[in-house]
Amino acid sequence: MTSPTRSPAHTATPGIGGVGESPVRPDGTLKVTGEFAYASDLWLEGMLWGATLRSPHPRARIRSLDVGAALALPGVRAVLTHEDVPGRKVFGIDHTDDQPVLAVDQVRHQGEPVALVAADHPETARRALDRIAVEYAVLEPVTDPRAVIADPEGLKVQDRGGITRHQPVRVGDVDAARAAADVVVSGEYEVGIQDQAFLGPEAGLAIPAEDGGVDLHVSTQWIHNDLKQIAPCLALREDQVHMTLAGVGGAFGGREDLSMQIHAAMLALHTGRPVKMSYNRYESFFGHVHRHPAQMRYEYGATRDGRLLYAEVEIVLDGGAYTSSTMNVVGNAASLGVGPYEIPNIRIDGYGVYTNNPPCGAMRGFGAVQACFAYESMMDRLGAACGLGPVEIRRRNAVSQGSRLATGQVIESPAPLAEMLTRLEAVPMPPEPDRRDLRDLRDLPGGVSQTTHGEGVVRGVGYGVGIKNICFSEGFDDLSTARVRLEVIGGEATALVHTAAAEVGQGLVTVKAQIARTELGVQKVTIAPADDRVGDAGSSSASRQSYMTGGAVKAACEAVRAELLARAARRFGRTDLAVAGGKIVSLTGDALGTIEDVLGETAIEETREYHHRPTTPLDPVTGQGRSHTQLALCVHRAVVDVDVDLGLVKVVELAAVQDVGRILNRTALEGQIHGGTAQGLGLALMEEIVVTGGLVRNPSFTDYLIPTILDMPPMRLDILENPDPEAPYGLRGAGEPPTLSSTPAVVAAIRDATGRALTRVPVRPEHIVAGP
């Protein structure tokens, strides 16, 4: 049996840079030309095709299930139900007893997997799904998250009750501060369900292994967490489930949870044949979690000059049918619920609830996005009430190094928010065109649909600030593992870097090579495919991989370098040695020999784990605790043109100032800021999974809209470097913060142009034309 097609090992091009430079991505050309092998491209001779039968109802009892007609279809090799699950019937990223592999006696959301089919051809598998007879007793779905909070026991979706987590945060005396406040403002805000909208749908290949286990080639964000969930359900030891990362076509949190992994493995083990599963776009909308929709209530009190005195906040996050990452998302939303502002008295209640709406979990920003839209809208409202501009109200209340967050955590590293706001305010504005001139229609709201030639178009400017935790929080022992091997291959010293960290498009393969090149003084670096033959690297989420896996690669390289220099010391009889440019040099700069001379035919291999400094859980009553290891700030200014008659919006320009600690790769960094900003723009203006009565109404890229190149405006970036002394190279995670602040900045700009309150995202034309 031949090996499946998969992405090749990544070998860095000789002669390009290390940390601080921007070498060409080793996978870039293949992706641009369409030659890169994604998970959906996997193929193996003799493989079968798997397919999933999903519930059409958001809530129902399963009265009967008959697979006989499906099994009788020629070409069908297996039809499996929950009775065929070899081991545990449930799994979960946080609660392992949370989510059924296949529905047992009920379904809790539309699209829940009910049965599986393996067939010789994908069309045969799909026809077999139509022949599976399921009789449902349809029940009234639970869809109102606030109703669940009011009656958590009466509106149960899960046996453990209606509320996933309630996280209070308590600081000072809110009631006393309210009595002393000169200015009080309040607002209610709502965020719709945003989808990760990655372009590569869920896919993978399961192959029966010689040891009775299974080889899984899948697109995922966290190999080892998948492994811990998969093995018990298959009744296998973890060392019998062999996982290799297949090419990932985007993730943004949507691949943290399992999708087809257990299903494909079950079919492969049952049939004894390789089984490929690949979702189409429609199924993908039901096959992964989404961003939690939120309902939020805020009240702020301040002095006449705009100094915040108190905040009272309620954040309700709808987690849908299963837990996924909801508990951690609630922790983030509650701990960052009032943003990067100094407020002496705080009362926050963050809730996550179960409903029969689509399951929600990780998405870029992870709870902080929802809160950011609300607290930034409140800062604008407070500024207007105090007669202060949007920048000044933020500057007066901005945190700095030494400030305390709502949780009592002290900001120990640089946090130059006031400076960032001042720099952003100083960025030149884009010129405002003469409305009398006929302009390129692509520059107008509505674009080439020719809805306007400039009449009724008003310009607006808005600001947004976001603070995001980096890496895992609340006492989780966050770690990453790296193995580095240095040897001479083809006469040239070569480093092989092996981690289980998922490259999901963020450019981690490039950064790992840069670190190895910097620490070892070699030019040729090969990045081994990510798999489970090396220790856990954690998830490619929480903006953590450059920090955590970068730290692990750095530590392993340092260990290899120490052994190399120890060998060199014995060879040259001196200890004042370093590695530079592929040579062993003295500290005075004299070249003594080459790395190849010292290595000869031997190799040096070291494995290291990297852990960030410890964090603590939030107190369940007061919400106090040092829950985050690192915090990152980004501020945005949006300039928009709005057709106030038609409700159409054109984002003219976005400017951002972000503190990244230290730039490892400027090109990749700028791409992350642009990408995060685009997703924030999408949430502000167009992206929403529309759900009514628990049913998804727009599961396609025809009806679920995401920004295209025509929607993204020019961007101005001002990137600051204030190194974090606790982080590798002083870096600060950078991928998520732009997603927070871009959304409220765009909405604030629309408010500025229209005078509308705009308390919900995405903003629709009807909100602008007829909204309050």
Side-chain angles (χ1 to χ4, degrees), residues 7 99 151 192 234 272 421 440-441 473 523 552 558 649 658 669 738:
S7 304
Q99 189 166 349
D151 185 13
L234 299 178
L421 285 163
D440 188 329
L441 294 177
S473 301
Q523 291 187 340
E558 289 170 342
V649 178
Q658 185 166 341
L669 173 65

Side-chain angles (χ1 to χ4, degrees), residues 332 335-336 339-340 368 399-400 403-416 420 466-471 473 542-543 547 613 625-634 658-661 722 724 727 730-734 737 740:
N332 274 10
S335 65
L336 303 174
V399 296
S400 59
S403 296
R404 290 184 180 273
L405 297 175
T407 59
Q409 180 168 348
V410 176
I411 300 177
E412 298 173 357
S413 60
M420 294 167 69
I467 185 168
K468 176 65 177 67
N469 61 308
I470 305 300
C471 301
S473 301
S543 302
Y547 191 125
R613 56 184 177 172
R626 191 183 182 284
S627 60
H628 304 310
T629 191
Q630 190 188 65
L631 296 154
L633 292 165
C634 183
Q658 185 166 341
D659 183 0
V660 302
N722 291 290
D724 180 346
L731 67 85
R732 197 177 300 276
L740 275 67

Side-chain angles (χ1 to χ4, degrees), residues 94 165 324-333 366-367 473-474 476:
D94 279 339
R165 180 180 183 180
S324 183
S325 303
T326 296
M327 295 183 69
N328 298 318
V329 173
V330 170
N332 274 10
F366 205 81
S473 301
E474 292 203 66
F476 188 91

Side-chain angles (χ1 to χ4, degrees), residues 649-652 654 681 685-686 706-714:
V649 178
K650 171 71 176 180
V651 182
V652 175
L654 285 161
L681 182 152
L685 293 177
M686 61 187 74
I706 58 175
T708 70
I709 193 169
L710 293 178
D711 299 299
M712 272 302 290

Side-chain angles (χ1 to χ4, degrees), residues 440-465:
D440 188 329
L441 294 177
R442 292 171 296 181
D443 294 333
L444 291 170
V448 293
S449 59
Q450 299 189 50
T451 53
T452 179
H453 283 189
E455 64 277 8
V457 174
V458 181
R459 177 153 291 188
V461 179
Y463 292 84
V465 173

Side-chain angles (χ1 to χ4, degrees), residues 33-363:
T33 60
E35 298 173 90
F36 186 83
Y38 289 98
S40 55
D41 297 316
L42 292 167
W43 182 88
L44 194 61
E45 184 179 355
M47 72 181 187
L48 302 174
W49 295 82
T52 309
L53 179 69
R54 298 180 179 274
S55 167
H57 307 293
R59 189 182 188 192
R61 295 281 178 188
I62 298 177
R63 285 179 170 168
S64 64
L65 196 161
D66 186 352
V67 303
L71 275 171
L73 188 66
V76 171
R77 305 300 175 182
V79 181
L80 307 182
T81 70
H82 74 91
E83 295 179 349
D84 301 296
V85 177
R88 287 176 58 91
K89 292 181 181 289
V90 288
F91 66 95
I93 190 170
D94 279 339
H95 287 292
T96 57
D97 60 344
D98 183 49
Q99 189 166 349
V101 174
L102 293 168
V104 179
D105 58 356
Q106 62 180 305
V107 292
R108 296 184 176 92
H109 69 93
Q110 182 191 19
E112 179 154 1
V114 175
L116 306 172
V117 168
D120 295 338
H121 190 278
E123 289 302 324
T124 303
R126 281 190 274 272
R127 286 198 298 272
L129 295 181
D130 293 336
R131 294 191 174 202
I132 299 174
V134 186
E135 183 182 357
Y136 295 100
V138 179
L139 304 173
E140 183 70 23
V142 175
T143 59
D144 182 352
R146 286 201 180 278
V148 174
I149 292 173
D151 185 13
E153 294 304 314
L155 294 175
K156 287 184 179 180
V157 172
Q158 294 285 359
D159 293 338
R160 60 178 66 94
I163 297 177
T164 318
R165 180 180 183 180
H166 171 214
Q167 180 58 61
V169 177
R170 302 288 187 262
V171 180
D173 188 336
V174 168
D175 294 331
R178 181 184 287 111
D182 299 314
V183 178
V184 175
V185 294
S186 61
E188 295 192 16
Y189 302 95
E190 189 173 351
V191 175
I193 303 177
Q194 187 179 22
D195 187 65
Q196 295 85 352
F198 40 71
L199 297 185
E202 294 83 350
L205 179 64
I207 309 166
E210 294 180 355
D211 63 359
V214 63
D215 293 330
L216 274 172
H217 299 258
V218 294
S219 54
T220 179
Q221 288 178 244
W222 192 350
I223 285 174
H224 283 79
N225 196 273
D226 283 10
L227 181 61
K228 291 175 184 177
Q229 298 174 76
I230 294 166
C233 295
L234 299 178
L236 296 174
R237 302 186 311 273
E238 286 188 15
D239 63 4
Q240 291 178 289
V241 180
H242 317 287
M243 296 196 66
T244 301
L245 183 72
V248 182
F252 314 112
R255 300 188 201 269
E256 279 203 359
D257 296 74
L258 297 182
S259 57
M260 45 61 62
Q261 288 93 320
I262 298 174
H263 297 163
M266 282 176 57
L267 291 168
L269 292 171
H270 186 86
T271 62
R273 300 263 298 274
V275 174
K276 177 178 177 176
M277 298 189 79
S278 183
Y279 294 172
N280 60 26
R281 182 61 57 194
Y282 176 89
E283 186 174 17
S284 181
F285 272 93
F286 298 100
H288 64 260
V289 297
H290 315 287
R291 187 186 300 288
H292 291 74
Q295 298 176 28
M296 299 168 285
R297 294 171 178 160
Y298 275 65
E299 181 180 288
Y300 280 2
T303 61
R304 286 186 180 85
D305 63 354
R307 307 285 178 178
L308 278 161
L309 294 178
Y310 77 89
E312 184 162 29
V313 174
E314 182 186 67
I315 301 171
V316 179
L317 300 170
D318 183 352
Y322 296 109
T323 306
S324 183
S325 303
T326 296
M327 295 183 69
N328 298 318
V329 173
V330 170
N332 274 10
S335 65
L336 303 174
V338 293
Y341 302 109
E342 293 188 337
I343 309 177
N345 304 282
I346 299 170
R347 183 186 295 149
I348 299 173
D349 287 285
Y351 296 93
V353 303
Y354 292 112
T355 66
N356 294 114
N357 292 321
C360 293
M363 186 177 171

